[in-house]
Amino acid sequence: MVDIKSWIFKDCCLVFSLLCISIVGITTGDQEVLTNSWLVELSEGGEAAARDIAKRAGFSYVSPVLGSDTEFHFIHNAVPKTRFRRSILHTRKLKSHPFVKRAVQQTGFVRSKRGYKPLKGVLLSDLHINNPEIGQLINDEKDVVIGKDPTDPLFDKEWFLKNRGQSGGIKGLDLNVEAAWGMGFTGKGVTTAIMDDGIDYLHEDLKYNYNSEASYDFSSNDHFPYPRYTDTWFNSHGTRCAGEIAAARDNDVCGVGVAYDSKVAGLRMLDQPFMTDLIEANAMGHMPNIIDIYSASWGPTDDGKTVDGPRNLTMRAIVKGVNEGRNGKGNIYVWASGDGGQEDDCNCDGYAASMWTISINSATNDGQTAGYDESCSSTLASTFSNGKSTIRDAGVATTDLYNNCTTTHSGTSAAAPEAAGIFALALEANRNLTWRDMQHLTVLTSKRNRLFDPYLKHFWQYNGAGLEFNHLFGYGVLDAGAMVYMANHWKPLPERFHCTAGSIKKEMNFGTNEPITLTIDTDACKGTDNEVNFLEHLQAFVTVKSSYRGNIVMHLTSPMNTTSMILSQRPNDDEHKNGFTRWPFMTTHTWAEAPRGTWTLRVENIAGKNNEYDDGLFREWTLVLHGTRDPPYHHQDADEENQTKLFKVKRMHDMAMKN
């Protein structure tokens, strides 16, 4: 568990200068957008005083912020929800009260759904129930039972659950959920919150698996997160994601969810012109002891030129969630890696690139990366989205608005909920899993399978610990059967530590095809309270700019000779003033490696589409190691297929401990 005292308060300077990201390159325009929401902090009086102050000042009291008894959310209904000037008089009126320490009008920023396409669904009356197939699940040694396929009418089209080669796919290239079901795990007792545009909780395939207690509408500030109607069905996104996780089994409606006995909660928060830090934070911190998993299929605009991430309150919500959520075991945050394609990089998305979220990319039904997939070194694993667009029913089949079904859900929006469903199966198998356990299980049980890059840019390789990874797919496609088996036998991990390995502050110029190379030699805090001998996440906080930011490319090489591309070329990013300011580029590629030795950062400007010369200026690099002092896997057990992987890592760890 992240020790919030030693990590945040003990090293306050590091947190607020590094973790609370410097937000640059926001593409909502040059003019600041203001909303009708205020963050109000009181010196005393608590909620009763907050309600009274709001009423006297003409505001509406909304709620505490993250359960605080000093910070509160107010709105003013007479102020437009979107405006371009600060409401100074309203702020002054709040500040005039002696209990008010500060009152901050919330700025608005853009958050986009991923994979949205304005296509209507399929009417239930148009569907025909398929005859169930009787099949035998593969692994008898894992206590897998013989069972029937689900009888739901769209199950045969859910190739990501059982790939028989339909819709042009490759047989066996799926999530292996039947093995987990066969072991008796279907998600019972686990709740996943869909942070999105609402859920059609009246849908026949969702209503019995809907957790109303844990649901909330942060757009309307009520307990009924039903999607707002539009002619284009724009607000079908959350309902589609929910069905992938928890659509009921054998009820003759649509398909079946990955964790069909689990619950879903709706947190409606995307359905507004602009997002605020308050809404994001309150959604991510909503009922953290009832909600186990938060699934997000959205983020900063995937336009290849935005660099953006969580603000202060939202960062606090996520850190609080992994420290205190699930009664101290930590909430699981699942994030869609992004749909910006080859011209974007998800390490420029501060949500997907956070070490406290599990970033999920997608693959097609024949193992390729989809054209819209972003790549980055922070991606941990992959699931599936749509297959070939030219083939009928190659999309993701799931629930749709107004009791309908669809077979056209797509994008990494479709990938993240599949991962959330698998994590729900693992949590049922072992309710004691922490947020860190889930990330370790993801690394250890994901498979290369048939995944490949059709553009031949990113190949599979082994890191220094013997773990196979790919820049596009992370550690491979999630395997529900293997994850549930290992979760059921999982032993607690050693304590996690955080080591500032070194820092370089020096102005250095670099031009097009004139790279600079910097090195940091570290003992990984050996002999101190923060000693790290085996890595989990690695962060490089970098300050750098260029006359064309999108042409900056950076590679980071570990002492065990694993190279991560922590920033790729983004040809549409023409920003030239600010660049990156202490931006936390993160890699998971060095997972389980020994970090002691020389780390090398290579920074360069790659020639752009116009072949113009670009001037770059490097200012700072700080290297932060996150991991354990003791070997994490020596007492772990796995199924037969994963024992070889574990053996390689344990052998490397034994050698590292001897040195």
Side-chain angles (χ1 to χ4, degrees):
M1 185 175 88
V2 177
D3 183 345
I4 203 163
K5 290 183 179 179
S6 64
W7 175 226
I8 292 189
F9 297 118
K10 179 180 175 183
D11 204 349
C12 180
C13 178
L14 178 63
V15 170
F16 290 103
S17 66
L18 299 184
L19 290 183
C20 295
I21 298 166
S22 300
I23 305 299
V24 293
I26 301 174
T27 55
T28 53
D30 294 332
Q31 199 167 9
E32 185 179 44
V33 176
L34 284 307
T35 69
N36 67 340
S37 290
W38 269 259
L39 168 67
V40 180
E41 183 179 3
L42 305 185
S43 59
E44 57 182 285
E47 183 176 349
R51 289 181 180 275
D52 182 64
I53 292 167
K55 184 176 181 180
R56 289 175 182 270
F59 283 75
S60 295
Y61 171 88
V62 179
S63 68
V65 178
L66 300 177
S68 173
D69 56 3
T70 60
E71 294 178 303
F72 302 92
H73 182 190
F74 291 3
I75 61 172
H76 200 300
N77 293 319
V79 175
K81 292 184 177 180
T82 301
R83 60 178 297 163
F84 296 100
R85 289 197 304 173
R86 290 191 174 275
S87 305
I88 297 174
L89 292 178
H90 294 96
T91 301
R92 284 178 178 171
K93 194 167 187 179
L94 288 170
K95 287 183 175 180
S96 67
H97 195 283
F99 288 1
V100 176
K101 290 178 63 177
R102 64 181 178 126
V104 182
Q105 188 176 7
Q106 293 290 285
T107 56
F109 44 86
V110 175
R111 292 293 175 261
S112 303
K113 304 170 190 178
R114 287 176 170 158
Y116 165 71
K117 291 183 180 180
L119 298 174
K120 291 190 176 182
V122 180
L123 295 176
L124 290 176
S125 57
D126 292 338
L127 298 173
H128 303 282
I129 300 174
N130 296 321
N131 291 324
E133 281 186 14
I134 298 176
Q136 181 170 355
L137 298 174
I138 304 170
N139 258 319
D140 292 329
E141 78 237 17
K142 297 181 186 175
D143 298 324
V144 176
V145 299
I146 297 174
K148 296 181 178 180
D149 283 351
T151 61
D152 304 86
L154 287 184
F155 176 70
D156 191 53
K157 300 181 188 301
E158 292 182 289
W159 49 265
F160 49 95
L161 301 183
K162 187 170 185 176
N163 196 336
R164 303 184 181 92
Q166 67 269 51
S167 303
I170 295 177
K171 185 177 181 180
L173 181 58
D174 54 42
L175 299 173
N176 195 27
V177 295
E178 286 192 316
W181 296 346
M183 286 182 260
F185 299 111
T186 55
K188 292 182 288 294
V190 180
T191 293
T192 300
I194 308 298
M195 299 187 294
D196 214 290
D197 55 18
I199 291 179
D200 182 357
Y201 47 78
L202 302 178
H203 198 292
E204 290 293 325
D205 221 12
L206 294 174
K207 64 182 183 180
Y208 296 114
N209 285 340
Y210 177 68
N211 189 331
S212 59
E213 177 190 8
S215 298
Y216 194 78
D217 190 327
F218 291 96
S219 295
S220 300
N221 294 310
D222 58 46
H223 293 276
F224 308 100
Y226 198 84
R228 178 176 59 86
Y229 175 78
T230 66
D231 289 338
T232 61
W233 287 26
F234 180 71
N235 293 319
S236 63
H237 198 252
T239 301
R240 294 178 175 189
C241 293
E244 291 182 86
I245 299 169
R249 176 173 175 154
D250 296 337
N251 64 343
D252 294 340
V253 179
C254 296
V256 60
V258 172
Y260 55 79
D261 280 330
S262 69
K263 301 288 186 183
V264 285
L267 300 180
R268 180 170 172 252
M269 40 93 77
L270 283 186
D271 184 19
Q272 54 218 337
F274 292 96
M275 182 59 65
T276 69
D277 193 17
L278 271 172
I279 291 178
E280 283 190 355
N282 279 328
M284 293 183 203
H286 184 68
M287 291 198 172
N289 291 327
I290 294 176
I291 294 170
D292 299 288
I293 303 166
Y294 295 82
S295 180
S297 292
W298 51 268
T301 308
D302 290 326
D303 57 6
K305 57 185 178 181
T306 298
V307 178
D308 201 358
R311 271 70 171 171
N312 184 282
L313 289 173
T314 303
M315 182 68 77
R316 282 170 49 192
I318 297 173
V319 174
K320 185 178 175 71
V322 298
N323 276 279
E324 302 174 18
R326 296 178 53 238
N327 298 305
K329 292 183 286 292
N331 296 118
I332 315 299
Y333 293 94
V334 185
W335 225 274
S337 61
D339 290 351
Q342 296 184 67
E343 297 187 338
D344 209 346
D345 187 301
C346 40
N347 239 337
C348 295
D349 173 347
Y351 302 86
S354 169
M355 62 185 178
W356 294 310
T357 67
I358 300 178
S359 178
I360 299 295
N361 208 348
S362 67
T364 60
N365 61 346
D366 60 354
Q368 300 185 48
T369 176
Y372 48 74
D373 282 344
E374 291 181 36
S375 62
C376 66
S377 59
S378 60
T379 296
L380 203 62
S382 300
T383 55
F384 296 101
S385 55
N386 52 301
K388 295 188 176 72
S389 60
T390 55
I391 299 181
R392 180 180 175 86
D393 297 332
V396 170
T398 182
T399 51
D400 212 346
L401 287 176
Y402 316 127
N403 221 35
N404 289 301
C405 313
T406 183
T407 59
T408 62
H409 191 36
S410 65
T412 54
S413 279
E418 292 170 14
I422 291 176
F423 298 152
L425 299 176
L427 285 181
E428 184 194 0
N430 186 344
R431 294 294 297 176
N432 292 318
L433 294 176
T434 68
W435 70 278
R436 285 178 58 215
D437 293 331
M438 198 64 76
Q439 296 207 20
H440 280 269
L441 286 166
T442 298
V443 170
L444 292 175
T445 64
S446 296
K447 304 290 194 302
R448 175 178 178 175
N449 206 313
R450 306 287 186 86
L451 304 186
F452 69 100
D453 175 14
Y455 305 106
L456 300 178
K457 290 184 177 181
H458 304 295
F459 299 95
W460 287 91
Q461 54 187 306
Y462 289 92
N463 72 7
L467 297 171
E468 192 174 24
F469 71 93
N470 184 286
H471 187 73
L472 281 165
F473 303 114
Y475 286 92
V477 64
L478 289 176
D479 185 315
M483 178 172 281
V484 164
Y485 179 87
M486 187 173 277
N488 203 26
H489 297 79
W490 191 251
K491 311 294 190 307
L493 289 167
E495 186 177 358
R496 172 178 163 103
F497 297 98
H498 317 277
C499 168
T500 302
S503 185
I504 295 176
K505 295 182 180 180
K506 179 181 179 182
E507 289 197 356
M508 300 177 67
N509 295 300
F510 61 98
T512 300
N513 297 324
E514 297 169 354
I516 58 173
T517 301
L518 306 103
T519 60
I520 289 178
D521 293 314
T522 180
D523 64 358
C525 299
K526 183 178 181 180
T528 72
D529 292 340
N530 298 319
E531 182 176 339
V532 175
N533 293 320
F534 306 101
L535 280 172
E536 292 176 4
H537 306 90
L538 187 287
Q539 290 178 300
F541 293 85
V542 179
T543 299
V544 64
K545 69 176 185 178
S546 174
S547 53
Y548 198 96
R549 184 173 64 181
N551 287 337
I552 302 174
V553 174
M554 293 191 290
H555 292 83
L556 183 65
T557 301
S558 75
M560 300 193 76
N561 206 34
T562 299
T563 296
S564 303
M565 181 163 59
I566 59 173
L567 178 64
S568 60
Q569 189 175 25
R570 303 199 310 159
N572 296 324
D573 185 2
D574 60 357
E575 198 278 336
H576 64 280
K577 293 181 179 179
N578 299 310
F580 298 94
T581 304
R582 290 180 174 174
W583 187 263
F585 296 97
M586 194 268 279
T587 180
T588 61
H589 296 169
T590 54
W591 198 278
E593 285 193 3
R596 203 166 294 149
T598 301
W599 291 82
T600 303
L601 178 67
R602 178 185 169 97
V603 184
E604 57 188 320
N605 270 320
I606 300 295
K609 43 192 171 186
N610 296 324
N611 285 320
E612 295 180 356
Y613 185 87
D614 293 305
D615 290 307
L617 177 63
F618 168 88
R619 284 200 172 99
E620 182 182 355
W621 166 35
T622 298
L623 184 68
V624 182
L625 315 172
H626 306 273
T628 63
R629 179 183 302 148
D630 301 319
Y633 303 139
H634 272 213
H635 304 292
Q636 304 299 349
D637 189 21
D639 61 1
E640 188 173 344
E641 189 174 358
N642 282 303
Q643 282 292 1
T644 302
K645 182 186 291 188
L646 265 182
F647 175 76
K648 289 180 180 179
V649 180
K650 289 177 180 178
R651 184 173 59 182
M652 188 283 290
H653 286 180
D654 287 337
M655 294 173 62
M657 292 302 288
K658 289 178 181 178
N659 296 330

